[in-house]
Amino acid sequence: MTIYFSFSDENGSYNQIRSRRFINAHPYYARCSYLILADDWKKISQKHLLLKRKHNLPIDKEIKWSYLWSLYKYERSNKEIPPEKPFYFLRDTPINDLTVFIEDTLSLLADLSFIKIIITVTENSTCNNINELYFYKMHIQEHMQRIEMEMQVSEENLCVLFIDPLSEDKNKYLRNTYNQLFTSGDFINNYKHIKDSLNLEYSHHSIGVQLADFISGCFVGFLKGYETSKNLFFDQVLCKLRKNSNGEVMGYGVREVPRNQSFRNEIKRKMDQF
């Protein structure tokens, strides 16, 4: 039996009722999952610790993608970072150094014997007013389906899924939804190659989830047109996205939720600039 791990995290935000101000602040919501062989997890974990030492970053502190933007805002406004901020420990770390650390961390994916990335994304300005819990179900279901289809190449494959917790209510809903889909099926009918329970794993405990945070973060930044994000996405992520037999990414490695052909074409247009 071959065991795979899938780690998943989100970037952006979603509300059922969205003001213009909310959409300007959060134009997209994205969830990333990536698949690796379980045997490779130890390799990536050990190398991540070495990178933290190389960059003189504290071993016991998590580096989040969102910290880049937060640090940039304080630097741009020439303000001191308050001690209560979770990124206060990075107050003396140059943003460029932090960007290099994230790039080095993402480059660890190139050392793996197997890697497939799946991203679901919503454009908040065009999305209908979908109930928030059902919205999260739609995203999780897309990932379950893509992972199951990827695992079906061998009857003996099994994937264990890990996600970063959201909130107590949302966590309960997602775990119950996941199990309901697993036991009752959908158009796939039978999820035979993924484990029966969705595992919650705190990002500050998990290099696996932290990498998913970096991937989803640079993807959303790429959609927004940020140069650093675009470089990271094109250099470290694009070639690892799940594809069909013809090398097509859209609909296979990147899925818009809900289906939106205009938005899909816009993402493809941006990717074709590579």
Side-chain angles (χ1 to χ4, degrees), residues 55-271:
H55 289 274
N56 297 313
L57 294 168
I59 299 298
D60 61 337
K61 296 286 189 181
E62 177 188 4
I63 310 298
K64 289 181 175 288
W65 175 267
S66 61
Y67 291 171
L68 281 177
W69 176 241
S70 298
L71 290 166
Y72 172 73
K73 286 193 293 185
Y74 276 96
E75 182 181 272
R76 184 178 61 180
S77 62
N78 199 28
K79 292 181 179 179
E80 293 290 326
I81 300 172
E84 64 270 16
K85 293 293 183 182
F87 46 87
Y88 178 73
F89 70 97
L90 295 169
R91 62 194 180 280
D92 296 322
T93 303
I95 294 176
N96 286 342
D97 290 359
L98 205 57
T99 303
V100 172
F101 167 74
I102 291 175
E103 181 177 13
D104 287 349
T105 303
L106 285 170
S107 71
L108 296 178
L109 298 174
D111 298 335
L112 302 176
S113 52
F114 176 90
I115 171 72
K116 292 288 178 73
I117 296 173
I118 299 162
I119 299 173
T120 53
V121 58
T122 297
E123 185 179 45
N124 278 328
S125 63
T126 59
C127 183
N128 294 328
N129 296 335
I130 301 169
N131 173 272
E132 191 172 353
L133 290 179
Y134 188 75
F135 173 84
Y136 292 124
K137 174 187 175 181
M138 292 170 68
H139 276 266
I140 289 294
Q141 185 173 14
E142 288 284 348
H143 287 259
M144 291 175 67
Q145 291 171 351
R146 305 284 88 67
I147 292 169
E148 174 65 25
M149 286 187 277
E150 192 65 37
M151 293 293 98
Q152 286 175 354
V153 295
S154 172
E155 187 64 30
E156 297 301 312
N157 285 345
L158 178 67
C159 184
V160 184
L161 282 69
F162 302 91
I163 70 167
D164 191 33
L166 301 176
S167 68
E168 186 174 347
D169 289 344
K170 291 175 185 174
N171 294 340
K172 182 178 179 180
Y173 175 80
L174 286 180
R175 296 183 81 166
N176 288 338
T177 296
Y178 177 97
N179 185 256
Q180 181 183 26
L181 289 167
F182 180 88
T183 55
S184 303
D186 47 25
F187 79 83
I188 284 182
N189 295 323
N190 194 351
Y191 287 92
K192 298 191 298 183
H193 300 87
I194 62 176
K195 195 175 178 298
D196 56 358
S197 179
L198 185 64
N199 297 275
L200 302 178
E201 187 157 283
Y202 292 113
S203 59
H204 60 281
H205 293 166
S206 170
I207 171 54
V209 173
Q210 289 173 42
L211 265 166
D213 170 55
F214 290 168
I215 296 169
S216 60
C218 77
F219 175 74
V220 168
F222 148 73
L223 290 181
K224 293 178 178 178
Y226 297 153
E227 200 63 31
T228 296
S229 299
K230 287 167 61 176
N231 292 336
L232 288 172
F233 176 74
F234 285 133
D235 293 344
Q236 306 293 343
V237 175
L238 181 59
C239 63
K240 302 173 185 68
L241 289 168
R242 182 174 179 265
K243 305 173 182 66
N244 69 0
S245 58
N246 295 321
E248 179 61 43
V249 166
M250 296 308 302
Y252 298 89
V254 177
R255 301 272 298 183
E256 76 284 2
V257 177
R259 185 175 177 83
N260 182 328
Q261 190 61 49
S262 176
F263 183 39
R264 178 179 292 199
N265 292 341
E266 177 65 13
I267 297 172
K268 188 176 187 306
R269 183 190 65 79
K270 290 181 177 181
M271 285 186 181

